[in-house]
Amino acid sequence: GVVKVFVKDMAKGRHSSGNPAAQAAGAEWGRHSIGSLSLESPGALKPLQIEAPKEMRHALRSNKGYSYSGDGLTITANHAVYAEGAGLDLHRAAEDAVSTASQSKGVTQFEHKLSSFMQDGKEGLLIAGNFKAEGVPHVHKAVVFFDKRDMRLVTLTFKEADTNAEAASQRALDSI
């Protein structure tokens, strides 16, 4: 899929889901569904409180977020449903996600690049980034796309030198 192409460009080397590194240190991978968003993760996704920007709250019907953090990898998954007539803007959604990530506590030197992709006839954006958290280099990968009024956003972060977390992030992205 398109996400696999993105990850191939991002990663230093491809890892298949059969690779021991992609097993995230023996974690039990499972598929999780959040509304119309479905992905695999190496552990349970736990509910996450998501605050929508004030200017968008009136346009949201629902906004659910979940996260996983373990073995050096953090995954956040967000599924939002917008009201009929809400002005949906894919690029703004991606930039809002970048803004949120770059303003996180301890994050500095956040750099990113956006790339368009098509999945099942729908446009999406891939976010490839790097940042430092308390001086340690990290990688930021994200994918955001709309399906009618449904927005799906998956973000993955890990330390730049952590090849196991890199492989696990690739497996998670490949599963979307």
Side-chain angles (χ1 to χ4, degrees):
V2 171
V3 175
K4 290 181 184 179
V5 171
F6 162 66
V7 174
K8 183 177 180 182
D9 290 344
M10 286 276 309
K12 293 178 180 104
R14 294 250 335 147
H15 303 280
S16 72
S17 59
N19 183 312
Q23 299 300 325
E28 298 218 8
W29 283 77
R31 179 154 292 278
H32 308 280
S33 294
I34 305 163
S36 62
L37 173 63
S38 176
L39 76 151
E40 290 181 5
S41 73
L45 294 175
K46 297 179 181 174
L48 179 67
Q49 185 66 33
I50 295 181
E51 288 292 324
K54 285 183 182 181
E55 64 272 9
M56 293 301 296
R57 289 182 191 154
H58 71 282
L60 283 171
R61 286 197 175 159
S62 69
N63 191 17
K64 296 178 183 176
Y66 293 84
S67 69
Y68 163 82
S69 188
D71 296 319
L73 174 66
T74 299
I75 300 172
T76 58
N78 177 229
H79 176 254
V81 178
Y82 289 86
E84 193 86 31
L88 305 179
D89 183 334
L90 185 61
H91 286 273
R92 171 141 186 214
E95 289 297 342
D96 286 348
V98 165
S99 177
T100 298
S102 67
Q103 294 175 21
S104 297
K105 186 177 179 179
V107 170
T108 61
Q109 300 177 15
F110 194 99
E111 297 177 4
H112 73 286
K113 180 175 101 176
L114 298 178
S115 304
S116 295
F117 71 92
M118 295 296 289
Q119 183 169 326
D120 299 326
K122 295 164 186 69
E123 182 185 13
L125 284 174
L126 307 166
I127 304 166
N130 294 290
F131 64 94
K132 288 190 177 179
E134 300 178 10
V136 178
H138 282 69
V139 174
H140 175 92
K141 301 178 184 181
V143 59
V144 60
F145 51 99
F146 284 101
D147 183 6
K148 298 181 185 170
R149 294 186 321 260
D150 289 17
M151 185 211 54
R152 297 173 215 147
L153 170 66
V154 177
T155 303
L156 305 105
T157 59
F158 54 91
K159 289 180 183 174
E160 193 173 272
D162 190 337
T163 57
N164 286 341
E166 178 182 11
S169 75
Q170 182 166 337
R171 178 174 173 178
L173 281 173
D174 287 348
S175 74
I176 298 172

